[in-house]
Amino acid sequence: MRGVTRSAQGRGELTPMESRILRAAVRLFAEKGFDATTVQEIVDAAEVTKGALYHYFDAKDDLLFEIYHSLISSQMADLDRIIALRLSAADTVRAILVNLVETTASRVDEAAVFTREMHKLNADRMAAFRADRRRYHETFREVIDRAQTAGELGTVVPADTAVLIALGVVNQLPTWYRPDGPKSPQQLGTEIADFVLAALSA
Amino acid sequence: MRGVTRSAQGRGELTPMESRILRAAVRLFAEKGFDATTVQEIVDAAEVTKGALYHYFDAKDDLLFEIYHSLISSQMADLDRIIALRLSAADTVRAILVNLVETTASRVDEAAVFTREMHKLNADRMAAFRADRRRYHETFREVIDRAQTAGELGTVVPADTAVLIALGVVNQLPTWYRPDGPKSPQQLGTEIADFVLAALSA
DNA sequence: GGTACAATACCGACCAGTTGGTATGCAGCA
DNA sequence: TGCTGCATACCAACTGGTCGGTATTGTACC
């Protein structure tokens, strides 16, 4: 069972104990970083014992991977769902961005951990992650690309750069977004989508 | 001399030994992260001894701070220089972004370490950093704000959000920028500036 | 110009504390 | 009686940082 989290087998079928541990881990990782967080701190925060943790997870790294995994699967599923709606290019871009901003906002800790610690994935998992990301980027880029070719969107900025910029903004969001801030996630999503679409209309 | 790096006294007056150590530290921090990098690894990479390192720096943390410090001072100085040119709003925005992209690209490792590990600053240094960042944001925001009021730029996107987006993109740059990629830093800077200005023109 | 003295620059073996992970035990359910 | 689900005690490896000591450079005085 090397290289695979025991719990990762059945998707979304986390036991109560697993999600309890993961919830504590995410909070601590987001607060202090992965390396600076002790396994002992995690089990204390989750009010379980080390034995319990290592009963469900093979290694500390697996906690990280579970966090990535659940976030990415959810994002990929959302993307596919949006694409399937077959909206206009502009509406698709808007839907993708609003959705991304909203899920990122509702799962800030996970998103923050993700962007800060993703380079700690081992080779295999990193490769899997890159593949997912590539697919996400490509899908997004094609939406813009086709719209540009069809004259629906402007061509001032190349599609690939636009994707990098748009997704970069979202990835950076956990750094400055505060749930108690003046703007709701929905409003932020709208503003960011407005921004990107305004740029792409030129 | 608590809380202050010995070498931070005289700005930019790093001894050869200090920059040698810092150069190795930056590379390793960028590659594996701060916590995952051992002091021993740093001194090995720099081909010095632990004694030498602790002769010039009080603690491992001070290495991080020196990296931040040199990067931030340089960025703040650049900003002031650009503002002093008293260009038009659009040209100022462009100049800031192109400059930021170029310096970030030429110092990717430092920038990457910075965005990933800044939360490890202690309270004092964090406060100082926040003050600097606030000033940077405010300055940038005012440029946009005044231009919007004067009708020189559109008002579709609020100035504060625009700043967050623009700087977010730059902060995310180290994640995907590759020196051997197809686009030069200058070209990237131009494209990003085009993007932001196109959005702001709406 | 040489000698005594001192400050600076650096060395590397060592330490106390911490860390991720394990081995073993035990209760309850089938 | 055995198996799952956890608890407890423990360990070997590693980490940042220290400390006594040495080499090198600078300085003041004869």
Side-chain angles (χ1 to χ4, degrees):
Chain A
M1 229 190 254
R2 283 297 102 196
V4 176
T5 305
R6 274 173 254 190
S7 66
Q9 315 291 58
R11 282 210 183 174
E13 302 196 11
L14 294 176
T15 67
M17 180 64 95
E18 283 169 337
S19 29
R20 185 197 185 99
I21 293 172
L22 283 174
R23 231 175 307 140
V26 167
R27 198 173 356 129
L28 287 166
F29 290 165
E31 188 188 322
K32 335 183 1 171
F34 177 75
D35 288 313
T37 300
T38 303
V39 172
Q40 192 58 50
E41 290 173 334
I42 297 171
V43 300
D44 286 350
E47 291 182 298
V48 300
T49 62
K50 235 189 206 186
L53 189 151
Y54 278 98
H55 178 72
Y56 288 100
F57 300 94
D58 286 330
K60 190 187 174 190
D61 282 11
D62 290 349
L63 296 174
L64 250 194
F65 182 69
E66 273 304 311
I67 295 168
Y68 295 154
H69 182 73
S70 86
L71 190 64
I72 291 187
S73 339
S74 134
Q75 284 180 352
M76 296 296 282
D78 283 354
L79 178 68
D80 289 338
R81 208 170 32 71
I82 291 169
I83 295 292
L85 294 177
R86 302 200 158 277
L87 306 170
S88 72
D91 285 345
T92 304
V93 169
R94 176 174 295 279
I96 291 175
L97 288 177
V98 170
N99 171 268
L100 222 39
V101 170
E102 281 177 349
T103 63
T104 300
S106 73
R107 304 172 75 173
V108 227
D109 281 351
E110 285 158 277
V113 171
F114 183 79
T115 43
R116 277 210 315 255
E117 321 273 6
M118 69 173 139
H119 63 287
K120 270 163 201 147
L121 289 172
N122 65 33
D124 287 351
R125 289 169 170 175
M126 182 59 99
F129 161 68
R130 277 193 218 278
D132 280 343
R133 186 178 59 179
R134 184 178 203 83
R135 186 163 88 77
Y136 202 107
H137 277 229
E138 274 304 298
T139 307
F140 200 176
R141 196 187 59 76
E142 274 168 21
V143 171
I144 295 174
D145 210 33
R146 277 204 290 267
Q148 283 178 330
T149 307
E152 201 179 333
L153 288 176
T155 54
V156 168
V157 182
D160 56 347
T161 303
V163 171
L164 250 16
I165 292 175
L167 297 183
V169 170
V170 177
N171 284 335
Q172 196 63 19
L173 208 106
T175 305
W176 51 266
Y177 169 75
R178 293 290 167 269
D180 55 336
K183 290 174 183 172
S184 70
Q186 198 192 7
Q187 190 180 349
L188 268 177
T190 304
E191 285 186 9
I192 290 175
D194 284 346
F195 188 94
V196 171
L197 285 170
L200 280 174
S201 299
Chain B
M1 230 192 251
R2 283 297 102 197
V4 176
T5 305
R6 275 173 252 187
S7 66
Q9 316 290 56
R11 282 209 185 176
E13 302 196 12
L14 294 176
T15 67
M17 180 65 95
E18 284 168 338
S19 28
R20 184 197 185 99
I21 293 172
L22 284 174
R23 231 174 307 139
V26 167
R27 198 172 355 130
L28 287 166
F29 291 164
E31 189 189 322
K32 336 184 358 171
F34 178 75
D35 288 314
T37 300
T38 303
V39 172
Q40 193 58 50
E41 289 173 334
I42 298 172
V43 300
D44 286 350
E47 291 181 297
V48 301
T49 62
K50 230 192 221 185
L53 189 150
Y54 279 98
H55 178 72
Y56 287 100
F57 300 94
D58 286 330
K60 190 187 174 190
D61 283 10
D62 290 348
L63 296 175
L64 251 195
F65 182 69
E66 274 303 311
I67 295 167
Y68 296 153
H69 181 74
S70 86
L71 191 64
I72 292 187
S73 341
S74 132
Q75 284 181 350
M76 296 296 281
D78 283 354
L79 178 68
D80 290 338
R81 207 168 34 71
I82 291 169
I83 295 292
L85 294 177
R86 302 201 158 277
L87 306 169
S88 72
D91 286 346
T92 303
V93 170
R94 178 175 294 280
I96 291 175
L97 288 178
V98 170
N99 171 268
L100 222 39
V101 170
E102 281 177 348
T103 63
T104 300
S106 72
R107 302 172 75 172
V108 227
D109 282 351
E110 285 158 277
V113 171
F114 183 80
T115 42
R116 277 210 314 257
E117 321 274 5
M118 68 173 140
H119 63 286
K120 268 162 203 150
L121 289 173
N122 65 33
D124 287 351
R125 289 170 171 176
M126 183 59 100
F129 160 68
R130 277 194 218 278
D132 279 343
R133 187 179 57 179
R134 185 179 203 81
R135 187 163 89 76
Y136 203 106
H137 278 228
E138 274 304 299
T139 307
F140 200 175
R141 197 188 59 74
E142 275 169 20
V143 171
I144 295 173
D145 211 33
R146 277 204 291 266
Q148 284 178 330
T149 306
E152 201 179 334
L153 288 176
T155 54
V156 168
V157 182
D160 56 349
T161 303
V163 170
L164 249 17
I165 293 175
L167 297 184
V169 170
V170 177
N171 284 335
Q172 197 64 18
L173 209 107
T175 305
W176 51 267
Y177 170 75
R178 294 290 168 270
D180 55 335
K183 289 175 183 173
S184 71
Q186 199 192 6
Q187 191 180 348
L188 268 177
T190 303
E191 287 186 6
I192 290 175
D194 285 344
F195 188 95
V196 171
L197 285 170
L200 281 173
S201 297

XYZ file of all heavy atoms in Angstrom, chain B residues 23 29 37 43 52 57 72 80 88-89 97 145 163 171 188 191 201:
133
model
N 23.295 33.420 -0.411
C 23.021 32.883 -1.741
C 22.680 31.390 -1.662
O 21.732 30.911 -2.284
C 24.230 33.104 -2.659
C 23.868 33.754 -3.987
C 25.116 34.080 -4.794
N 26.074 34.867 -4.020
C 27.409 34.677 -4.036
N 27.935 33.726 -4.780
N 28.198 35.451 -3.315
N 16.224 27.296 0.338
C 14.883 27.640 0.824
C 13.876 27.575 -0.329
O 12.766 27.080 -0.167
C 14.864 29.034 1.437
C 15.615 29.147 2.742
C 15.962 30.392 3.257
C 15.970 28.011 3.448
C 16.649 30.499 4.462
C 16.665 28.110 4.653
C 17.009 29.356 5.156
N 14.937 22.866 5.302
C 16.353 23.076 5.022
C 17.156 23.146 6.319
O 16.842 23.913 7.218
C 16.564 24.377 4.237
O 15.851 24.311 3.005
C 18.034 24.592 3.941
N 25.388 25.431 5.154
C 26.835 25.640 5.240
C 27.583 24.721 4.275
O 28.601 25.114 3.699
C 27.355 25.467 6.689
C 26.681 26.463 7.609
C 27.175 24.049 7.182
N 31.184 29.578 11.141
C 31.218 30.810 10.348
C 29.826 31.414 10.232
O 29.632 32.609 10.422
C 31.784 30.522 8.965
N 25.514 35.447 11.682
C 24.075 35.529 11.914
C 23.731 34.950 13.278
O 24.329 33.968 13.702
C 23.316 34.774 10.821
C 23.561 35.307 9.436
C 24.547 34.746 8.631
C 22.826 36.378 8.933
C 24.791 35.238 7.355
C 23.061 36.866 7.658
C 24.041 36.302 6.864
N 12.505 43.578 -0.273
C 11.524 44.639 -0.026
C 12.123 46.028 -0.210
O 11.530 46.885 -0.854
C 10.935 44.504 1.392
C 10.075 43.244 1.471
C 10.092 45.726 1.731
C 9.318 43.112 2.760
N 9.208 54.175 -5.335
C 9.393 55.614 -5.109
C 9.994 56.288 -6.346
O 9.606 57.395 -6.722
C 10.303 55.839 -3.895
C 9.597 55.457 -2.596
O 8.349 55.429 -2.589
O 10.286 55.176 -1.599
N 1.882 59.690 -16.505
C 0.420 59.585 -16.478
C 0.036 58.352 -15.671
O 0.870 57.483 -15.434
C -0.111 59.451 -17.903
O 0.203 58.169 -18.406
N -1.218 58.273 -15.282
C -1.666 57.147 -14.469
C -1.389 55.829 -15.179
O -0.809 54.893 -14.601
C -3.153 57.279 -14.169
N 4.228 47.734 -12.881
C 4.052 46.304 -13.152
C 5.238 45.705 -13.905
O 5.732 44.630 -13.547
C 2.752 46.066 -13.931
C 1.487 46.255 -13.085
C 0.236 46.056 -13.931
C 1.485 45.289 -11.901
N -6.865 55.266 -8.240
C -8.011 56.011 -7.727
C -8.106 57.398 -8.372
O -9.160 57.812 -8.850
C -7.857 56.156 -6.209
C -9.212 56.209 -5.524
O -10.140 55.546 -6.019
O -9.324 56.909 -4.510
N -5.814 46.576 -7.353
C -4.471 46.459 -6.774
C -4.224 45.049 -6.268
O -3.182 44.440 -6.533
C -4.290 47.474 -5.618
C -2.996 47.195 -4.863
C -4.283 48.889 -6.152
N 2.841 38.240 -7.271
C 3.275 37.357 -6.188
C 3.210 35.886 -6.583
O 3.948 35.061 -6.058
C 2.414 37.579 -4.945
C 2.779 38.857 -4.223
O 3.903 39.345 -4.331
N 1.830 39.424 -3.510
N 6.704 39.293 -20.600
C 5.695 38.947 -19.606
C 5.174 40.192 -18.903
O 3.966 40.355 -18.697
C 6.281 37.999 -18.563
C 6.126 36.509 -18.847
C 6.823 35.701 -17.771
C 4.644 36.174 -18.894
N 2.868 42.003 -21.154
C 1.577 41.335 -21.291
C 0.711 41.507 -20.043
O -0.498 41.740 -20.134
C 1.774 39.836 -21.578
C 2.265 39.559 -22.990
C 2.324 38.074 -23.318
O 1.871 37.268 -22.489
O 2.825 37.738 -24.399
N -9.317 49.996 -18.186
C -9.829 50.971 -19.144
C -11.336 50.855 -19.296
O -12.000 51.767 -19.797
C -9.158 50.780 -20.506
O -7.768 51.014 -20.376
